């Protein structure tokens, strides 16, 4: 990988270099990283055919134990190359090399291992039928077949792992489409799956535009399920495209997550947690705590101390191990953040703090300064819609009831944070929040054992944990009757009168 400057798609056991070449540049400083080949519709169809053949001829007949063993080998292979993966991830996304080396890559490896070693998932369970005591039943958790996995650009390696490892474990083959902005570590994972011994086609990786590659996956009749992560707008399109062939769809979508700080919290801890909750990955994380809800009595002190912490964060080139501020991953996203904030301020929002970084960061890079805003008008778009950038909005609340009301007044429901030393109160609040993940005195830390996903327009279905594995299965009921018995006499008698 280190010397490779051109990445092709992984189709049927080979790297396919045929197609349109696109130059990738680093968001950190604009330097050229290399070329990537975008797959055409025909290539995507070839990839789907190859995954369908791999499913029928090979993977369906590979035992759970052998599938786990291959995942273990894959984890080992990526581990051996973890520095290369981290370097590539930061070059491609603009996130700090410190984050890639200490979080994205090692966590991804740990999560492949989790699926290789977890033992909660069973391929079947026995049941009895209370209505028919002479029979038995077996419920099988059968694979879906070929899974189409569509991923966003913000945490490409983790996304590739979260989608492929549980799907492969459950017995599916996968066609993975990483974002065309950040495809590199997913393409490397495809190569390493082959190196580890996965059969050709078990994991195909095809990148390119959503309109071509994503749409072909969403509409293909040979794909039984689409696992999508991305914006709510695209998620709705994918769901609609998938409906023509009645595919199963899981959607991990956007959010506008509240981070609720009560006056009785450990303020030093909460300050760092709120900062981490938003500014990790420059706010380009779906569950980012982008709405700070702070109790009125500590609001002034909290925002002033938060600004001082932001002031101390080091801006610079993200490829330097000491830099704290990431770049924005692509020009389109930088423009979106800039427009939303400018329109928010024009519409009445107040700028409480903005960090000066422009003179320090590399001139050819894509950066947005860490920013804090507030507005008494909670209906403003900037307070309601996902910005997906380093912009925190501050809203104050008087008491527990008002905090819950404001937190839940959102079309989204992905995550939330609650900061209080009173754990009973924090748990009470957490249990009334309409969101899939709630952290108490914490933020962002996720476990492969815990399902994650959204309430409301933040998504459908769950990723990770046992529930995440089960998403990649469909149940099959086998009803066993060993021989003619009394229940048959009664049942058949409904249509065949006695003596006939
Ligand atoms: P996006 O919706 O623009 O794209 C996501 C993926 O969908 C990309 O691979 C894209 O090429 C593809 N795509 C685009 N149009 C398509 C179409 N018509 N048919 C099929 N596929 C299509 O999202 P993005 O800008 O890459 O990522 C940012 C968004 O992702 C944010 O909204 C963020 O909240 C969300 N996200 C959610 C989670 C989560 O777990 N809930 C995690 C990370 C990111």
């Amino acid at each position: 990988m280190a010397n490779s400057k051109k990445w092709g798609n992984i189709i049927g056991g080979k790297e396919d270099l045929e197609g349109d070449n696109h130059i990738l540049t680093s968001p950190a400083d604009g330097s050229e990283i290399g070329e990537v080949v975008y797959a055409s519709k025909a290539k995507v169809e070839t990839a789907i055919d190859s995954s369908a053949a791999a499913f029928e001829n090979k993977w369906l007949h590979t035992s759970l134990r052998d599938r786990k063993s291959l995942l273990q080998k894959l984890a080992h292979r990526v581990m051996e190359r973890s520095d290369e993966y981290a370097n590539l991830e930061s070059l491609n996304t603009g996130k700090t090399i410190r984050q890639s080396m200490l979080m994205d890559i090692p966590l991804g490896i740990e999560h492949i291992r989790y699926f290789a070693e977890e033992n909660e998932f069973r391929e079947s369970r026995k049941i009895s039928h209370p209505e028919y005591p002479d029979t038995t039943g077996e419920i099988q958790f059968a694979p879906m077949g070929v899974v189409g996995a569509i991923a966003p650009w913000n945490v490409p390696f983790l996304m590739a792992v979260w989608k492929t490892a549980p799907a492969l474990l459950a017995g599916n083959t996968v066609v993975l489409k990483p974002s065309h902005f950040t495809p590199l570590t997913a393409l490397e994972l495809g190569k390493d799956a082959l190196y580890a011994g996965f059969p050709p086609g078990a994991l195909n990786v095809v990148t390119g535009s959503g309109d071509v590659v994503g749409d072909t996956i969403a509409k293909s009749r040979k794909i039984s399920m689409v696992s999508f992560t991305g914006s709510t707008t695209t998620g709705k399109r994918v769901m609609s495209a998938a409906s023509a062939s009645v595919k199963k769809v899981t959607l991990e979508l956007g959010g506008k997550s509240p981070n609720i700080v009560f006056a009785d919290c450990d303020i030093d801890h909460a300050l760092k947690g709120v900062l981490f909750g938003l500014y990790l990955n420059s706010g380009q994380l779906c569950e980012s705590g982008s709405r700070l809800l702070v109790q009125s009595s500590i609001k002034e002190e909290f925002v002033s101390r938060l600004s001082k912490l932001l002031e101390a964060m080091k801006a610079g080139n993200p490829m330097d191990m000491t830099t704290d501020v990431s770049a924005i991953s692509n020009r389109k996203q930088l423009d979106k953040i800039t427009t939303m904030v400018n329109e928010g301020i024009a519409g009445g929002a107040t700028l409480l703090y903005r960090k000066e970084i422009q003179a320090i960061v590399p001139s050819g890079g894509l950066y947005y300064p860490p920013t804090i805003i507030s507005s008494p008008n909670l209906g403003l778009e900037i307070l309601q819609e996902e910005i997906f950038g380093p912009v925190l909005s501050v809203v104050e609340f008087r008491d527990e009831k008002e905090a819950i009301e404001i937190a839940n007044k959102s079309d989204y429901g992905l995550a939330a944070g609650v900061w209080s030393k009173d754990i009973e109160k924090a748990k009470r609040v957490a249990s009334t929040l309409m969101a899939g993940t709630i952290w108490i005195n914490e933020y962002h830390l996720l476990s492969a054992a815990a399902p994650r996903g959204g309430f409301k327009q933040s998504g459908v279905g769950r990723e990770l944990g046992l529930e995440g594995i089960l998403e990649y299965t469909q149940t099959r009921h086998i009803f066993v009757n060993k021989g003619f018995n009394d229940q048959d006499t009664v049942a058949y008698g409904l249509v065949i009168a006695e003596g006939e």
Side-chain angles (χ1 to χ4, degrees), residues 220-293:
S220 169
R221 288 181 182 273
K222 295 175 183 166
I223 285 186
S224 327
M225 169 180 174
V226 173
S227 165
F228 172 86
T229 300
S231 62
T232 298
T233 308
T234 311
K236 289 176 185 172
R237 285 181 69 186
V238 167
M239 199 175 205
S240 153
S243 70
S245 50
V246 197
K247 280 185 186 56
K248 179 170 183 180
V249 178
T250 56
L251 302 172
E252 299 283 331
L253 307 176
K256 189 76 178 175
S257 300
N259 212 348
I260 306 170
V261 178
F262 284 98
D264 62 359
C265 70
D266 171 346
I267 292 197
D268 291 336
H269 187 188
L271 280 164
K272 288 184 184 151
V274 166
L275 186 140
F276 176 66
L278 182 70
Y279 297 99
L280 181 70
N281 217 48
S282 270
Q284 302 166 108
L285 291 172
C286 51
E287 79 273 3
S288 289
S290 54
R291 286 192 290 154
L292 168 62
L293 271 54

Side-chain angles (χ1 to χ4, degrees), residues 298-336:
I298 59 163
K299 184 203 158 197
E300 292 304 321
E301 179 197 353
F302 200 86
V303 174
S304 147
R305 289 184 60 190
L306 194 60
S307 308
K308 287 202 183 95
L309 282 179
L310 283 170
E311 204 55 37
M313 275 170 72
K314 190 179 162 212
N317 191 324
M319 297 309 287
D320 174 342
M321 266 309 258
T322 64
T323 298
D324 302 322
V325 178
S326 322
I328 302 303
S329 278
N330 56 75
R331 166 71 58 192
K332 190 172 157 214
Q333 184 58 24
L334 180 58
D335 291 347
K336 180 187 161 196

Side-chain angles (χ1 to χ4, degrees), residues 8-12 14 39 47 51 160 164 174-178 183 185-191 203-207:
N9 296 291
I10 309 300
I11 303 175
K14 294 192 204 74
S51 287
T164 58
V174 180
V175 177
L176 168 67
K177 178 218 175 296
T185 47
L187 290 166
E188 288 301 327
L189 189 71
K191 285 184 209 167
L203 172 57
N204 284 321
V205 188
V206 280
T207 195

Side-chain angles (χ1 to χ4, degrees), residues 71-72 75-76 78-79 102-118 157-158 161-162 165 446-449:
L71 284 170
Q72 196 66 270
H76 184 72
V78 179
M79 182 73 205
L102 301 179
M103 187 188 102
D104 293 40
I105 305 304
L107 197 63
I109 295 168
E110 211 175 302
H111 288 182
I112 303 175
R113 275 210 191 102
Y114 168 82
F115 289 108
E117 291 168 10
E118 80 79 46
F157 180 66
L158 281 169
V161 168
W162 292 349
L446 57 88
S447 163

Side-chain angles (χ1 to χ4, degrees), residues 150-155 159 162 177-181 208-211 214-215 218 228-232 234-235 237-238 252-255 285-287 332-333 386 388 414 452 458 463:
I150 303 177
W153 45 258
N154 60 336
V155 278
M159 279 297 151
W162 292 349
K177 178 218 175 296
S179 166
H180 63 290
F181 289 120
S209 81
D211 287 344
D215 191 61
F228 172 86
T229 300
S231 62
T232 298
T234 311
R237 285 181 69 186
V238 167
E252 299 283 331
L253 307 176
L285 291 172
C286 51
E287 79 273 3
K332 190 172 157 214
Q333 184 58 24
E386 183 179 54
F388 218 57
L414 195 54
R452 61 188 294 280
S458 287
E463 199 152 57

